[in-house]
Amino acid sequence: MEGPAYAQTLRGLTLWTHHVLLPVYGREVTSTAPWCSRWWEHQEAVAQLHGLWLAWSELTGPGSGVCGPANWHRDYLFPVMSSLRDPDGPFAGCKVGAHRAKKAPPIDDVDPFGPPPEPPSPTLQGTHQDQQVG
């Protein structure tokens, strides 16, 4: 997603996170259970929260089974919140009122599964650089 569709989805996620998730399930922030007040600046957190929100919509909305909410807690809420609030998770380094962007790990420029690189073009014989002055 990008552009207006992404902005609209992120707005819905933000409203749900701020008005449903955090008031009910947002436990105290500690060094062993961090949370960033600028969670939307952590792509991993956005991705996990988006999945959690989608599962919540499906398992607790109209037409969901009677076990839907219990399944959402067990299968989605607890694992996602544990992952997000892990001291080594996406909010590692963030403190109350102090967002710190995480650096992504380095990635080699080589695409190991892409097409092989083009062989170098053969050099032209007899060019000015190859000629000897005698």
Side-chain angles (χ1 to χ4, degrees):
M1 262 188 276
E2 55 187 41
Y6 179 75
Q8 184 177 359
T9 299
L10 192 56
R11 174 75 175 135
L13 175 61
T14 299
L15 290 171
W16 178 79
T17 300
H18 291 186
H19 297 286
V20 176
L21 182 69
L22 293 177
V24 177
Y25 304 104
R27 297 176 182 172
E28 185 175 357
V29 176
T30 67
S31 60
T32 59
W35 181 266
C36 184
S37 60
R38 298 175 67 99
W39 58 265
W40 58 89
E41 292 188 23
H42 298 269
Q43 291 181 359
E44 179 184 353
V46 171
Q48 288 195 46
L49 288 169
H50 185 248
L52 187 62
W53 177 43
L54 292 175
W56 177 81
S57 297
E58 183 175 311
L59 293 172
T60 65
S64 64
V66 295
C67 293
N71 292 340
W72 179 77
H73 284 89
R74 180 195 65 211
D75 296 337
Y76 299 96
L77 175 69
F78 297 136
V80 168
M81 292 303 278
S82 292
S83 173
L84 290 174
R85 308 230 23 215
D86 186 278
D88 292 324
F91 305 137
C94 293
K95 299 186 181 357
V96 175
H99 164 74
R100 189 188 89 177
K102 284 181 68 175
K103 288 187 175 184
I107 302 171
D108 289 339
D109 289 336
V110 177
D111 180 355
F113 303 104
E118 295 276 331
S121 60
T123 58
L124 297 174
Q125 299 297 323
T127 61
H128 180 70
Q129 290 89 1
D130 295 339
Q131 294 176 354
Q132 292 186 356
V133 177

